[in-house]
Amino acid sequence: MKAEQLKLFLASPESTVVEAMQQIDSNARGLLFVVDENRKLSGVLTDGDIRRWLIKTGNLQADIERMMNRSPKALYHTERSAAKEYMVKQKITAVPIVSAEGIVSDIIFQETKEEDVPKHKEKLRDVSVVVMAGGKGTRLYPYTKILPKPLIPIGDIPIMERIIDNFRDYGIKDFYATVNYRKNMIKTYFSELTADYTICYVEEDKPLGTAGSLRLLEKEFDTPFIVTNCDILIHADYEDIYRYHRASGNEMTIVTALKNIEVPYGVVHSKENGSIERMEEKPRLSYFVNTGMYILNPDLRDEIPEDTFFHMTDLADTLLKQNRKLGMYPISEDSFLDMGEFEEMRRMEQKLNLKSE
């Protein structure tokens, strides 16, 4: 591995959670090896370690030294030939090669062939998904003057079909779609597909928001169900998200994504009487944002007023005001793709390695 490539996988123990998440996004391997200034190995950090830390503390600015595994697996140069066997035995996907002094000189990854990756895990086969597909998509005008937002293509596949395909990889076959604007186009498109799943349509006579139409569903769910906007793609382990919701005791879990915003100006921090305390050039602010994907307990449908415009955020506010369990499942910035605006559509196509027309 070349030195420049190696840098993508090495981080200082003083790196912040935000910096580590961005670096993991860049290397696309889900982990970092923590080294000192001499590149001596001191720990390993995975995206799962970060997620558990954030769920526990919410602290984005903590040093990764506080959450890393301090007993990383490694091999010496003389053991390099046994790396693949070692990774299988240890159930790890990467192993650093170190000198006698513990200095990292290379990293070997366990390569997975595409045919070895299960396409239909069936882990969520009894789970239902509701796709909120009734909006007009005004931010995407004039595209949505011709097509409803769920049918706008990302590459050559409509966004809603991509969303459903992602859930199908986990065995889900039971889909519901709340529709309103150009609903017949949506129904016609999916009726012409050869698919191994079913879509039950819930038709709004008037806009009911991102939660109001859930009261129109005839099915009574007996397990938590998933609700997703029709203009987002989430690259995450859906099984882990669902498992976390069940284990946490949350009544509602919001999938959140890191969002970094750079202020395009020099920021002035002042004190009393107009005195300047310090100046900060183009600071970066980090937040978790609502992605538009939720896991809800079945009885929460009763909390939604009938025939009323009501958003998922209104439902979340209800839980907060009553001190009930509302939680989040954090993902990285690069794991959340939003089609809501033209620039984000281009980013989505680039992330999926699709050519933008």
Side-chain angles (χ1 to χ4, degrees):
M1 181 180 291
K2 294 181 179 179
E4 287 302 311
Q5 188 178 8
L6 185 61
K7 287 181 181 179
L8 295 174
F9 301 95
L10 303 181
S12 163
E14 288 80 33
S15 296
T16 65
V17 172
V18 171
E19 292 168 341
M21 292 180 75
Q22 291 175 317
Q23 195 172 347
I24 287 176
D25 271 345
S26 296
N27 70 39
R29 289 286 189 168
L31 54 71
L32 294 172
F33 292 100
V34 184
V35 297
D36 65 14
E37 64 274 11
N38 297 315
R39 219 161 66 189
K40 184 176 181 180
L41 184 65
S42 60
V44 62
L45 181 76
T46 68
D47 51 3
D49 294 328
I50 293 175
R51 183 173 299 111
R52 285 185 287 274
W53 169 265
L54 290 172
I55 289 172
K56 182 179 179 181
T57 71
N59 187 351
L60 281 165
Q61 300 304 322
D63 294 345
I64 61 175
E65 187 175 26
R66 298 175 64 180
M67 67 211 71
M68 71 182 188
N69 180 342
R70 297 175 181 273
S71 303
K73 303 288 191 301
L75 292 175
Y76 294 113
H77 291 286
T78 55
E79 302 170 307
R80 184 187 184 99
S81 61
K84 291 184 179 180
E85 182 181 346
Y86 180 77
M87 285 187 284
V88 171
K89 183 178 179 180
Q90 296 294 329
K91 298 181 180 180
I92 56 177
T93 59
V95 60
I97 303 299
V98 300
S99 67
E101 294 78 24
I103 307 301
V104 177
S105 62
D106 198 1
I107 300 171
I108 298 178
F109 294 95
Q110 186 179 61
E111 298 299 337
T112 303
K113 296 179 181 179
E114 188 173 349
E115 57 266 27
D116 294 335
V117 179
K119 294 299 182 183
H120 298 285
K121 302 179 182 180
E122 302 297 326
K123 297 292 186 179
L124 300 180
R125 60 183 176 274
D126 297 324
V127 176
S128 298
V129 172
V130 181
V131 182
M132 312 303 289
K136 289 186 175 181
T138 53
R139 292 184 298 168
L140 291 174
Y141 185 87
Y143 281 8
T144 48
K145 186 177 181 181
I146 302 169
L147 288 173
K149 182 168 58 174
L151 295 187
I152 291 179
I154 301 300
D156 58 355
I157 299 176
I159 178 66
M160 183 169 160
E161 187 178 354
R162 287 190 180 276
I163 291 170
I164 290 174
D165 286 345
N166 282 351
F167 285 112
R168 279 297 299 116
D169 285 343
Y170 290 83
I172 296 175
K173 294 185 178 182
D174 189 31
F175 293 91
Y176 297 80
T178 63
V179 294
N180 185 333
Y181 178 68
R182 296 189 182 276
K183 59 188 177 185
N184 289 332
M185 290 182 69
I186 299 170
K187 294 166 71 174
T188 298
Y189 176 84
F190 283 97
S191 70
E192 294 175 351
L193 292 180
T194 301
D196 63 348
Y197 55 83
T198 60
I199 303 178
C200 179
Y201 295 96
V202 180
E203 299 188 17
E204 299 175 333
D205 293 327
K206 62 181 180 180
L208 292 174
T210 54
S213 57
L214 294 179
R215 285 304 297 265
L216 300 177
L217 291 170
E218 292 184 1
K219 177 173 179 177
E220 293 293 332
F221 299 111
D222 53 13
T223 57
F225 61 99
I226 298 170
V227 178
T228 180
N229 291 350
C230 71
D231 55 3
I232 63 167
L233 288 177
I234 301 294
H235 290 293
D237 186 337
Y238 294 172
E239 181 194 356
D240 192 62
I241 295 172
Y242 194 81
R243 183 172 54 238
Y244 164 72
H245 173 81
R246 297 293 295 263
S248 68
N250 292 339
E251 292 188 64
M252 175 179 178
T253 297
I254 302 174
V255 178
T256 61
L258 180 67
K259 187 68 174 179
N260 294 295
I261 303 169
E262 183 177 287
V263 179
Y265 307 100
V267 173
V268 176
H269 298 271
S270 64
K271 299 188 294 186
E272 296 178 356
N273 302 318
S275 298
I276 293 177
E277 181 178 33
R278 61 188 176 90
M279 298 182 69
E280 191 176 6
E281 188 62 28
K282 297 181 179 180
R284 290 177 65 86
L285 307 176
S286 299
Y287 301 97
F288 279 111
V289 299
N290 181 356
T291 64
M293 180 174 168
Y294 314 84
I295 299 88
L296 276 66
N297 282 357
D299 55 1
L300 280 186
R301 286 178 59 202
D302 296 333
E303 307 280 340
I304 300 170
E306 293 186 10
D307 198 33
T308 302
F309 189 89
F310 198 74
H311 277 315
M312 294 295 290
T313 49
D314 296 322
L315 181 57
D317 285 339
T318 298
L319 296 179
L320 288 172
K321 289 174 183 176
Q322 297 176 3
N323 293 317
R324 293 159 67 182
K325 287 209 71 174
L326 171 69
M328 75 167 188
Y329 183 97
I331 62 175
S332 70
E333 185 170 21
D334 222 30
S335 298
F336 168 48
L337 301 174
D338 177 14
M339 194 191 67
E341 297 178 352
F342 291 111
E343 188 60 37
E344 286 297 299
M345 280 181 64
R346 287 190 284 270
R347 175 174 169 261
M348 186 179 283
E349 289 176 333
Q350 291 170 357
K351 178 67 178 177
L352 296 173
N353 295 319
L354 302 172
K355 281 190 175 181
S356 178
E357 298 295 334

